[in-house]
Amino acid sequence: MWNAILYLWVLNGLTVALFAWDKLCARWNRGRVPEHLLLWLSALGGSPAALLSRWLFQHKTRKQPFGRWLWSIVLFQITALVILLGKDLL
């Protein structure tokens, strides 16, 4: 259990850091963090940090393909969590 909590803390911290770095790179016209990497981090468990980072840094908020993919990942994760928790309640 503690391994899972540590994993999620590290992954979400990395997700916030990469969103912040990508925002700085966008302002400085430097090499950017690939969107697919940000989406993979979200899919692996960093979606809370991705949503927080979008709001906090006002980053990737107008990119509709990115936003749709991110919300699809979040909805999939919520559905999976409800199904898993529902099994334990029966």
Side-chain angles (χ1 to χ4, degrees), residues 19 50-56 58-61 67 70-71:
F19 265 85
L51 293 174
L52 177 67
S53 297
R54 285 184 80 199
W55 173 76
L56 187 63
Q58 291 296 303
H59 190 51
K60 302 275 187 202
T61 55
L70 181 59
W71 280 108

Side-chain angles (χ1 to χ4, degrees), residues 2-90:
W2 289 108
N3 289 338
I5 292 171
L6 180 63
Y7 166 79
L8 288 174
W9 271 101
V10 169
L11 185 66
N12 280 276
L14 179 62
T15 303
V16 169
L18 283 178
F19 265 85
W21 178 252
D22 192 44
K23 178 68 174 190
L24 286 174
C25 288
R27 286 187 178 175
W28 296 337
N29 283 333
R30 305 265 173 128
R32 304 285 301 277
V33 176
E35 285 185 358
H36 66 86
L37 177 60
L38 297 173
L39 289 171
W40 267 108
L41 289 173
S42 299
L44 292 173
S47 56
L51 293 174
L52 177 67
S53 297
R54 285 184 80 199
W55 173 76
L56 187 63
F57 304 123
Q58 291 296 303
H59 190 51
K60 302 275 187 202
T61 55
R62 288 185 251 162
K63 302 265 308 192
Q64 277 315 308
F66 182 86
R68 281 193 295 268
W69 277 108
L70 181 59
W71 280 108
S72 298
I73 289 168
V74 170
L75 290 174
F76 176 79
Q77 289 172 339
I78 290 171
T79 303
L81 188 63
V82 167
I83 289 170
L84 289 173
L85 291 177
K87 269 187 173 179
D88 290 340
L89 295 176
L90 293 177

